[in-house]
Amino acid sequence: MNKIFKPYYAVIFTSTHSKQVEGYFEMAEKMEALAIKQDGFLGINSAKDDVGITVSYWQDLESIKKWKQNSEHLIAQQKGRNQWYSWYNVRICKVEKEYEQLLP
Amino acid sequence: MNKIFKPYYAVIFTSTHSKQVEGYFEMAEKMEALAIKQDGFLGINSAKDDVGITVSYWQDLESIKKWKQNSEHLIAQQKGRNQWYSWYNVRICKVEKEYEQLLP
């Protein structure tokens, strides 16, 4: 890669779900729509099987901190802990390198 | 967090699939079993919906490089490009912070 790569950040959220799913998908959708509007937001991907993985991408650590403390997001986090998740892990990562391929 | 955190690395592999799925799941399983045996391997999580996300965790960049160049893995990567994926993105990330919660 010859082009200049500017590091950015990824938040890897990995979770397993409890048996209570009520309200989860609506909230997940709402939170994604809200995240997109935040300063420093760059992108998000989610997939769910036995384990759920959501990776959101951010310009800097300050944006991640603000999003974590967003009042609506705080309510969602609380509900997640109380109802939806049986376990979760959050990793804050600096993206140092990236390559992408669109295939024919 | 008071305990000393030693940074490690994450490879975030995000993909969309072509319509050819033949052999994919067998290969994914085989590659996961092979990855686990590599030096520096720390863990892996996968989930697949509209998008597939696989995150593997490694002790250092050297381990990631070696895994990328593993001969069996090279064959799988080639098949992935030729058959299974319509797009993919690879991000090499330094995990700088982590917190985990097991819920009651």
Side-chain angles (χ1 to χ4, degrees):
Chain A
M1 285 194 303
N2 288 319
K3 69 175 179 179
I4 293 161
F5 178 78
K6 196 173 170 283
Y8 57 94
Y9 286 83
V11 180
I12 306 174
F13 180 80
T14 317
S15 61
T16 52
H17 281 244
S18 72
K19 279 169 188 158
Q20 301 177 63
V21 294
E22 211 198 312
Y24 170 74
F25 291 100
E26 296 80 347
M27 183 63 95
E29 227 169 78
K30 195 178 150 188
M31 282 306 112
E32 187 166 327
L34 189 62
I36 286 166
K37 290 184 203 159
Q38 304 307 305
D39 284 342
F41 175 88
L42 299 175
I44 190 164
N45 290 121
S46 276
K48 197 174 158 307
D49 265 324
D50 301 336
V51 79
I53 306 174
T54 295
V55 192
S56 59
Y57 299 99
W58 303 85
Q59 217 141 52
D60 49 44
L61 291 172
E62 190 55 31
S63 312
I64 294 170
K65 201 174 162 186
K66 277 191 191 157
W67 170 234
K68 197 186 174 210
Q69 293 165 351
N70 172 288
S71 56
E72 287 183 76
H73 189 204
L74 282 173
I75 295 168
Q77 290 170 52
Q78 191 58 49
K79 285 204 178 176
R81 278 190 292 269
N82 290 347
Q83 293 180 46
W84 299 313
Y85 301 119
S86 55
W87 166 85
Y88 69 80
N89 177 295
V90 180
R91 290 178 176 95
I92 314 288
C93 312
K94 188 178 188 178
V95 182
E96 296 187 340
K97 223 166 138 179
E98 175 173 9
Y99 50 95
E100 189 163 311
Q101 183 103 47
L102 185 64
L103 298 156
Chain B
M1 286 193 303
N2 288 318
K3 70 173 177 179
I4 293 163
F5 178 78
K6 197 174 169 285
Y8 57 94
Y9 286 83
V11 180
I12 306 173
F13 180 80
T14 317
S15 60
T16 53
H17 280 244
S18 71
K19 279 169 188 157
Q20 301 177 62
V21 293
E22 210 198 312
Y24 169 73
F25 292 100
E26 295 81 348
M27 183 63 96
E29 227 169 78
K30 194 179 152 188
M31 283 304 112
E32 188 166 326
L34 188 63
I36 287 167
K37 291 185 204 161
Q38 304 307 304
D39 284 342
F41 175 86
L42 299 174
I44 191 165
N45 291 122
S46 276
K48 196 174 159 307
D49 264 326
D50 300 337
V51 80
I53 306 176
T54 296
V55 192
S56 58
Y57 299 99
W58 303 86
Q59 218 142 50
D60 48 44
L61 290 173
E62 190 54 30
S63 312
I64 294 170
K65 201 175 161 186
K66 276 191 192 157
W67 170 235
K68 197 187 173 208
Q69 292 165 351
N70 172 288
S71 57
E72 288 184 71
H73 189 203
L74 282 174
I75 296 168
Q77 290 170 53
Q78 191 58 49
K79 283 204 179 175
R81 278 190 293 269
N82 290 346
Q83 293 179 44
W84 300 314
Y85 302 120
S86 55
W87 166 86
Y88 68 81
N89 177 296
V90 180
R91 289 176 176 97
I92 313 289
C93 311
K94 187 178 188 178
V95 182
E96 296 187 339
K97 223 167 137 179
E98 175 171 10
Y99 50 97
E100 188 163 313
Q101 182 103 48
L102 184 65
L103 297 156

